Each structure stands twice: as C-alpha cells, then as structure tokens.
Amino acid sequence: DAKTTQPPSMDCAEGRAANLPCNHSTISGNEYVYWYRQIHSQGPQYIIHGLKNNETNEMASLIITEDRKSSTLILPHATLRDTAVYYCIVSPLLAYNTDKLIFGTGTRLQVFP
Amino acid sequence: AAGVIQSPRHLIKEKRETATLKCYPIPRHDTVYWYQQGPGQDPQFLISFYEKMQSDKGSIPDRFSAQQFSDYHSELNMSSLELGDSALYFCASSGPGGPEAFFGQGTRLTVV
C-alpha cells in the first residue's frame, strides 16, 4: 500500500508557483521521497527525489521537513504543460534493485491561464 | 537520450486470446518493472526483474507471466484475456547509473 497522503486536486494560475504537499508520517530512515508526474495517460515522468535535504533541479524544488514526515514539491513558474497528476512516493533508493515504486492516488494539478 | 521503448503501443485482442507486450529498457539498465493502469486508476505494480531474475511480484494475475532476457529486454505474456485486462501497461527501467526509474510510453491493451 502507498505510504503517502496527498490532496486529490489543486489549481494554480499560470506563471505562479505550484506547491504540492505530501504527508509521509511513517517514512523509514532508509526511504527516499520521490516525485513523479503523469500527463494524461503518458508514462510517469521522474521529477525529483530526496532523502532529508532540500533538493532542486531544472524542473522543481523539493522541500522535506526536518522530521521527514512531510514534503512539498514546488514548481516555481507553473505552465499549462504542467497540468498532470503528481505522485509522491516513498521508497528505498531504487539503485539497489530490490525495491519498486508504489503509486498512491496522487494530486491532480490543473494549471489555468 | 535513449528512453524505454514499449511495443506495441496499441493492441486489440478478443476475450480468451493471448497477448505479448515487449519492453526494451534504457541501455545499461539492468532492472525492469511492469505496471498496469486501469481506466481512471493509478499505476499498479505487477512484477520486476533484476539481472534476468524475478526480483519482486505484486498483484499480477496467475494468467500473466513475464521474463527478462539476456539482452535485458522483457516480455509480459497475458493469457485467457478478460475484459478487465483492458488497461495501459507501463514498463520502467532503472540501473546502476542513477536512483530513478524511467517509464516507457506504455501499451494500451483493449480486450473486446
């Protein structure tokens, strides 16, 4: 079962920052927070992941609370093309080939003009 | 950059027929995952392979089987198809170069 809780839907105005929250109160010490998104039936797209430090890449920023029980994905300047379902997933690091991504229900982000 | 390739992209089969879905992982990726996404649902993990051995199993029906070959491509075989098997099937791969999994564009299976 998914170990995360996300709001089912959110709206964001184009050009504004989209802040997507995720609760993962039962996260284990060796589990990372991964974010993926799925744009209308396309394959899920990797966005970012982190363990305990805040992370930033060309797509987004990930803010993880100090107790690691929640996190926020930030899209700094949302565009219409960011409209998608966003999934927050906790998992051990996939590089060790013994784990998999378990998708929960995600947040449907609608970016409007 | 090379991505995960799935074939076919679309497949229509009749009930009780058999289907084979193929997945070609990113070069040098040694782990393959299969997911099923029904209409209006979230992706559900089916099965995974690491170095040609099954590494984990999820909610995969007994009618389905899969394997990973020596060139690391994988095939998902589905027999005695039912209407409820109609779904998007995604393959993903990961490897020693990075901790994330990359997904293909999926195969849309329609059972009529």
Side-chain angles (χ1 to χ4, degrees):
Chain A
D1 291 340
K3 299 172 62 175
T4 62
T5 303
Q6 300 177 250
S9 63
M10 294 181 65
D11 291 338
C12 180
E14 190 176 22
R16 304 297 294 268
N19 297 284
L20 290 82
C22 179
N23 286 321
H24 32 80
S25 58
T26 61
I27 190 170
S28 300
N30 68 332
E31 290 182 319
Y32 285 68
V33 180
Y34 284 86
W35 283 84
Y36 279 76
R37 72 180 182 184
Q38 187 175 29
I39 299 173
H40 189 55
S41 298
Q42 295 180 19
Q45 178 188 21
Y46 167 80
I47 301 173
I48 199 168
H49 76 283
L51 182 63
K52 55 183 178 180
N53 297 320
N54 297 338
E55 302 287 345
T56 295
N57 63 19
E58 65 278 5
M59 289 183 68
S61 294
L62 173 60
I63 309 297
I64 302 174
T65 59
E66 191 169 346
D67 63 7
R68 303 211 319 124
K69 293 185 177 182
S70 65
S71 61
T72 300
L73 179 74
I74 301 172
L75 307 178
H77 306 287
T79 71
L80 298 178
R81 289 176 293 181
D82 291 322
T83 293
V85 178
Y86 287 76
Y87 294 98
C88 169
I89 303 168
V90 296
S91 170
L93 203 63
L94 294 180
Y96 296 112
N97 309 307
T98 58
D99 291 283
K100 70 280 186 183
L101 299 170
I102 300 298
F103 289 80
T105 54
T107 294
R108 185 172 298 275
L109 176 68
Q110 179 70 53
V111 180
F112 57 91
Chain B
V4 177
I5 305 298
Q6 292 187 245
S7 68
R9 293 294 310 278
H10 302 272
L11 190 58
I12 300 175
K13 290 286 185 178
E14 295 188 353
K15 285 191 303 183
R16 294 179 289 277
E17 283 193 318
T18 297
T20 298
L21 280 55
K22 297 185 178 182
C23 170
Y24 297 87
I26 291 172
R28 293 179 294 281
H29 278 192
D30 49 17
T31 303
V32 167
Y33 313 82
W34 285 97
Y35 288 82
Q36 177 191 58
Q37 186 173 26
Q41 298 181 2
D42 304 296
Q44 298 294 314
F45 171 73
L46 291 178
I47 196 167
S48 61
F49 293 87
Y50 167 60
E51 282 291 344
K52 293 153 280 184
M53 298 289 290
Q54 180 180 309
S55 54
D56 205 346
K57 195 172 182 180
S59 51
I60 183 170
D62 292 340
R63 299 177 290 107
F64 294 6
S65 65
Q67 57 181 325
Q68 186 179 31
F69 295 85
S70 58
D71 63 352
Y72 295 100
H73 95 271
S74 179
E75 295 184 3
L76 178 65
N77 297 292
M78 311 159 68
S79 63
S80 304
L81 288 169
E82 303 174 356
L83 296 178
D85 296 328
S86 295
L88 275 166
Y89 290 84
F90 291 106
C91 170
S93 73
S94 65
E100 63 269 48
F102 295 92
F103 284 77
Q105 288 307 297
T107 294
R108 182 176 294 279
L109 173 67
T110 303
V111 181
V112 297

